[in-house]
Amino acid sequence: MLSVALLCRCSQPLRVAPSRLLVNGAQTRVIARELITPARHSNGITSRGLKIRELVKSNGIIARFCASAPKPKPPKVVGYWLLGCSGMVFTAVVLGGVTRLTESGLSMVTWKLLGEKLPRSEEEWHHEFEKYKQFPEFKYKNQNMTLSEFKWIWWMEYAHRTWGRAIGAAVFLPAAGFWLRGYFDTGMKVRVAAYCALVAAQGLMGWYMVKSGLEDRFQGPSDVPRVSQYRLAAHLSLAFVLYSGLLAGALRVLRPFPTVATFQRIRELKGITAFAHTVKAMAFFTAVSGAFVAGLDAGLVYNSFPKMGDRWIPEDILAFTPTLRNFTENPTTVQFDHRVLGTTTLAVATALWLMSRGKPLSPMARRVAHGVGAMAWLQVGLGLLTLLHYVPTPLAAAHQSGSLMLLSLAIWLTHEIKLLKYIPK
């Protein structure tokens, strides 16, 4: 208190102003207490003391000094909340992959914001099955499906949608509570608003994707009813972006940068930083290309490696016209692109691991770098097994999960490297 008085050039210590009272019938309550400077007496004239806030406003230097104080960081509970939400999104991606692999995604032909009614009797199940029979997947592909088989694919899709709605509740409700309690700084408010927008967009894109498989655009028995590969890739991309944002936000809170520090460009870390960001980008784009593979069932076209059949480059790789259509609609080209992207990602991740061995990394960053290299090799191994065994559901689901694991480790590594560049003052 005395130091603040000296800063304000007060000759005497500060004092607390008397409490102002408001009397309303029998009730009395305190309105406020304020710090003021002592009253001055000069030539028989008494001047009242000045309030501290008036002194701060009138002195620009003091105002800037007060404004430059470090802002409070979000509490740890926010970081654990973000980490939990990212884990839920991870589970949703795996569950969505299994739903796609078991061809369950078109079993529910309606969509409601708060959830579809759960059939509770055989009559309601028959009614749900009759609705499914009106759409292309049953007409052209599943004419011999029984009610028990329909129930199984229906439950798979129901679980996926219910989990997605649970993610929405886990993001929106705590976000509102933390926001009202003042747990978010300005940067975190922007990020949380983006998370909420991504969750909403993800749900809408999910239904927009399913709707493409219910449309009457299939010409006959030889045309396989499926969702649009473009919408499937968009749906998966939104999930990856949301997951990456939640994980990065959690790391910022749970492993924060020093409040008072100097950011220095460490020359020895320049190359490894670039490789770590490249691994992130390559893992993302390889996963998106995998969505096109899944959407076109391109994993069943050439089930050999390293050659595709008897050739390194298949003859039908550019069979469609115009040429650009091949990259998103030709199963051969889509599988070839996925192979090239996966191999490139492996090469970059391996180079990152080799480069990290001679760099001044922290023990944590070094372990994560080793994890990136190991996960890249495991991911490619899972991809090869999935291809050579004609895309069995367990291997394909593990392969999709591996892409998220590789992306997670790359995000963690870039955070650890950046943490090394903040030198405490």
Side-chain angles (χ1 to χ4, degrees):
M1 190 72 73
L2 183 59
S3 61
V4 176
L6 294 175
L7 179 64
C8 298
R9 298 181 180 277
C10 300
S11 58
Q12 300 180 27
L14 298 173
R15 63 183 177 85
V16 178
S19 302
R20 300 179 182 177
L21 304 180
L22 175 64
V23 180
N24 183 11
Q27 295 183 354
T28 304
R29 61 189 179 90
V30 178
I31 293 296
R33 282 180 177 269
E34 294 180 325
L35 293 176
I36 63 173
T37 59
R40 293 189 177 185
H41 304 275
S42 177
N43 298 326
I45 301 175
T46 302
S47 60
R48 67 181 181 87
L50 295 175
K51 297 176 182 179
I52 289 299
R53 67 167 180 262
E54 295 174 353
L55 286 174
V56 172
K57 289 181 180 179
S58 63
N59 193 313
I61 297 177
I62 298 177
R64 286 193 296 270
F65 175 81
C66 296
S68 63
K71 298 180 180 179
K73 296 290 184 181
K76 294 288 186 182
V77 66
V78 174
Y80 292 123
W81 164 62
L82 293 175
L83 191 62
C85 290
S86 68
M88 293 184 70
V89 175
F90 188 105
T91 305
V93 172
V94 177
L95 187 58
V98 174
T99 302
R100 173 70 188 90
L101 291 164
T102 56
E103 299 180 341
S104 306
L106 299 177
S107 58
M108 299 180 70
V109 297
T110 58
W111 185 83
K112 295 181 180 178
L113 180 62
L114 299 180
E116 295 76 9
K117 181 181 177 181
L118 184 65
R120 298 183 181 276
S121 65
E122 284 299 307
E123 182 181 354
E124 291 180 349
W125 274 114
H126 279 288
H127 178 68
E128 194 72 25
F129 193 26
E130 289 300 322
K131 289 194 297 184
Y132 173 69
K133 290 179 179 180
Q134 300 173 15
F135 290 88
E137 186 174 66
F138 179 84
K139 292 180 180 179
Y140 300 142
K141 186 178 180 182
N142 293 334
Q143 299 95 330
N144 299 321
M145 176 175 280
T146 63
L147 179 61
S148 60
E149 291 171 338
F150 169 73
K151 287 182 179 180
W152 191 85
I153 63 172
W154 193 92
W155 279 114
M156 285 295 302
E157 176 64 7
Y158 181 79
H160 182 52
R161 294 192 187 188
T162 303
W163 190 255
R165 291 185 175 96
I167 292 174
V171 171
F172 283 105
L173 297 180
F178 291 150
W179 196 304
L180 293 176
R181 287 175 176 265
Y183 285 3
F184 298 152
D185 56 20
T186 302
M188 184 58 71
K189 286 181 178 179
V190 173
R191 285 189 286 273
V192 168
Y195 302 151
C196 293
L198 283 170
V199 169
Q202 176 72 349
L204 293 174
M205 179 55 70
W207 169 242
Y208 186 57
M209 175 190 67
V210 170
K211 188 178 178 182
S212 67
L214 303 175
E215 296 170 351
D216 190 15
R217 60 187 179 91
F218 306 99
Q219 303 303 317
S222 61
D223 196 359
V224 179
R226 58 164 64 98
V227 299
S228 166
Q229 70 270 25
Y230 297 102
R231 300 182 192 182
L232 176 61
H235 187 54
L236 184 67
S237 299
L238 285 173
F240 271 60
V241 171
L242 175 61
Y243 173 78
S244 301
L246 290 169
L247 180 59
L251 288 172
R252 292 176 68 93
V253 177
L254 299 177
R255 292 185 63 79
F257 304 126
T259 303
V260 181
T262 301
F263 183 80
Q264 295 188 0
R265 296 185 180 276
I266 304 176
R267 184 176 300 177
E268 292 83 354
L269 298 180
K270 184 177 180 180
I272 194 172
T273 302
F275 270 93
H277 286 299
T278 303
V279 170
K280 284 196 302 185
M282 291 301 302
F284 176 82
F285 288 118
T286 305
V288 173
S289 74
F292 283 96
V293 172
L296 294 171
D297 290 327
L300 301 173
V301 178
Y302 289 96
N303 297 92
S304 58
F305 190 86
K307 292 184 178 181
M308 299 179 70
D310 296 327
R311 302 173 64 92
W312 290 100
I313 300 179
E315 294 180 348
D316 57 340
I317 195 169
L318 296 177
F320 292 5
T321 55
T323 304
L324 288 178
R325 282 185 57 206
N326 291 280
F327 295 96
T328 55
E329 299 181 16
N330 186 340
T332 299
T333 312
V334 167
Q335 189 192 119
F336 180 82
D337 292 343
H338 190 62
R339 291 183 180 216
V340 171
L341 287 171
T343 305
T344 306
T345 304
L346 175 64
V348 175
T350 304
L352 169 65
W353 172 70
L354 292 173
M355 183 179 295
S356 67
R357 300 175 65 184
K359 300 297 181 181
L361 298 177
S362 65
M364 178 64 74
R366 194 173 303 280
R367 286 193 292 268
V368 178
H370 293 335
V372 169
M375 191 64 232
W377 281 95
L378 177 60
Q379 173 67 351
V380 170
L382 287 171
L384 291 178
L385 289 174
T386 302
L387 179 71
L388 297 176
H389 289 83
Y390 293 85
V391 197
T393 298
L395 282 175
H399 182 54
Q400 182 166 316
S401 304
S403 64
L404 263 183
M405 284 299 301
L406 179 59
L407 180 62
S408 304
L409 290 169
I411 292 172
W412 188 3
L413 180 59
T414 54
H415 182 82
E416 292 295 329
I417 293 174
K418 190 174 182 180
L419 194 61
L420 290 172
K421 298 179 180 181
Y422 281 84
I423 310 299
K425 292 183 178 178

